[in-house]
Amino acid sequence: MIKKIAVIGAGTMGHSIAECFALYGYPVNLFDTNSETLKNVKKTMDKDLSELVEGGLFSEEAIVKSLDNVTLFNDMEKTVEDRDYIIEAAPEKIDIKRDIFSKLDKYAPKNAVFGSNTSSLSLSEMLTAVSDERKKRMLVDHFYNPALLMPIIELSFFGNMPEDIFKEIQEIYKSIKKQTVKILKDVPGLVANRIQQGVAREVFSLMEQGVAEPAEIDKALKFGPAFRYATTGQLEVADLGGLDIWCTVGDNLLKVMDNSTCANPILREKVEAGKLGVKSGAGFYDYRPEEIEALKKEFNKRLIHQLKASEFYIK
């Protein structure tokens, strides 16, 4: 039975993943090789968690307790020596991940399950780093950013893992109020990112064609399709609307929509011009430095509001 968690990597995703478990009483060992990251990570976590208090999801007391549930390490072997479930949240480079899993295979208990928070690398390529027995206890567990607020976890079920172990992983996520998506085939991007890229491709294309201004395109998405998608999946929407109608509209529209296989030129031009979005102060919109923190906080507020509302629709 899984009771003790370890997270390898205390960066953007890693520390947020640790928070998810710590909030629900799990003892979490958080590892990183960067001493500066470890020095500051609890302050970052406290800031993240405080927004949940403001949003009415947790009490101040619960936040304090959750931070006490996290122990920081710079020694990987000590981090994982008694852990049941170990989640790797390192950079998206296969050599780095293979090296980590090779070490974990030696350091961790025989019954420990390994998870990789990858969305772009193949599980089969990472499995080469571990023993045959460990291969049965290893999966992709892809969180969405910010992990603390986004309830989705994509879990691989590619044939290497027995169903009873997989179900145990599902249960651990259910206990921290996450929604698991069972992925049956090892494809780049899994499911959620592929859907997101499909939407993004058409959004960038509409802008490139000058069909509408950026704010109007975003408004069409927020108050059109995304308004329904917050509570209703695409296949449900299609059934409710009528598959005959969806078929006819698909025949009419898909042939004139973007079918490119690489990033849109307007997106690439922005990147080449150094307009990277919030991080650079300009992207499709402009951002004043003094407003960025408030903007991020407002974004998180919207996610918290949606998180509270979504509990009604969880099945």
Side-chain angles (χ1 to χ4, degrees):
M1 184 176 180
I2 293 172
K3 293 182 179 179
K4 298 177 181 178
I5 312 295
V7 179
I8 307 301
T12 300
M13 293 301 295
H15 83 262
S16 194
I17 291 169
E19 290 167 358
C20 294
F21 288 98
L23 266 173
Y24 289 90
Y26 289 95
V28 182
N29 288 352
L30 180 59
F31 166 85
D32 206 284
T33 56
N34 189 313
S35 58
E36 197 64 24
T37 298
L38 288 178
K39 178 183 174 182
N40 296 315
V41 71
K42 285 219 174 180
K43 291 180 184 175
T44 303
M45 294 171 79
D46 184 49
K47 182 181 174 184
D48 293 346
L49 293 163
S50 294
E51 293 185 2
L52 301 184
V53 177
E54 293 174 23
L57 287 174
F58 290 91
S59 67
E60 188 69 47
E61 182 184 11
I63 298 307
V64 172
K65 284 183 179 178
S66 71
L67 288 171
D68 288 341
N69 288 333
V70 179
T71 306
L72 306 179
F73 287 84
N74 61 7
D75 183 317
M76 189 184 293
E77 186 170 1
K78 291 186 182 302
T79 304
V80 303
E81 62 185 2
D82 67 343
R83 300 290 102 173
D84 306 312
Y85 188 35
I86 301 162
I87 301 168
E88 167 274 316
E92 286 286 273
K93 295 183 179 178
I94 190 65
D95 290 342
I96 292 175
K97 292 184 185 289
R98 278 204 198 108
D99 181 59
I100 288 172
F101 284 120
S102 177
K103 290 174 180 174
L104 292 176
D105 197 26
K106 296 182 183 77
Y107 300 154
K110 299 275 187 206
N111 66 337
V113 178
F114 294 171
S116 176
N117 179 50
T118 184
S119 64
S120 63
L121 298 176
S122 170
L123 176 65
S124 62
E125 291 186 31
M126 289 182 276
L127 287 174
T128 61
V130 302
S131 65
D132 288 342
E133 277 306 303
R134 189 76 70 180
K135 287 174 183 175
K136 300 173 186 176
R137 309 183 73 83
M138 188 164 159
L139 78 168
V140 171
D141 56 353
H142 176 232
F143 288 72
Y144 243 50
N145 188 26
L148 184 61
L149 301 179
M150 297 294 287
I152 184 176
I153 309 290
E154 293 179 303
L155 297 177
S156 68
F157 189 63
F158 297 158
N160 62 298
M161 176 177 282
E163 191 161 5
D164 61 326
I165 298 176
F166 181 82
K167 286 181 177 178
E168 187 176 2
I169 299 300
Q170 283 185 311
E171 286 302 311
I172 193 100
Y173 282 116
K174 185 177 179 181
S175 74
I176 64 170
K177 295 190 176 180
K178 295 296 186 183
Q179 292 293 298
T180 60
V181 178
K182 186 177 183 180
I183 310 297
L184 301 177
K185 189 173 182 180
D186 194 354
V187 296
L190 303 177
V191 172
N193 274 346
R194 289 172 74 109
I195 293 170
Q196 182 172 250
Q197 282 297 321
V199 172
R201 177 170 61 184
E202 190 59 31
V203 164
F204 295 139
S205 177
L206 288 167
M207 187 179 172
E208 182 186 25
Q209 295 176 62
V211 173
E213 292 295 318
E216 300 303 307
I217 293 172
D218 274 353
K219 190 191 298 183
L221 178 60
K222 286 189 290 188
F223 298 105
F227 192 84
R228 291 189 299 209
Y229 292 157
T231 60
T232 312
Q234 174 59 60
L235 302 179
E236 291 177 290
V237 168
D239 273 353
L240 288 166
L243 299 186
D244 52 336
I245 294 171
W246 274 89
C247 189
T248 299
V249 173
D251 285 341
N252 291 337
L253 289 187
L254 290 174
K255 58 194 173 191
V256 296
M257 289 172 65
D258 194 331
N259 64 354
S260 57
T261 58
C262 59
N264 189 281
I266 199 168
L267 183 62
R268 200 176 302 281
E269 286 168 13
K270 292 280 187 185
V271 172
E272 290 172 353
K275 295 183 176 181
L276 308 179
V278 171
K279 67 172 77 175
S280 67
F284 291 111
Y285 303 97
D286 293 324
Y287 307 94
R288 291 203 294 261
E290 65 273 16
E291 295 177 343
I292 288 175
E293 279 306 308
L295 185 148
K296 289 180 178 177
K297 191 167 184 178
E298 178 58 32
F299 171 67
N300 285 344
K301 274 186 178 178
R302 295 200 297 269
L303 290 181
I304 289 169
H305 180 77
Q306 182 58 38
L307 188 59
K308 290 162 74 174
S310 69
E311 290 189 5
F312 178 78
Y313 299 96
I314 291 173
K315 295 179 181 179

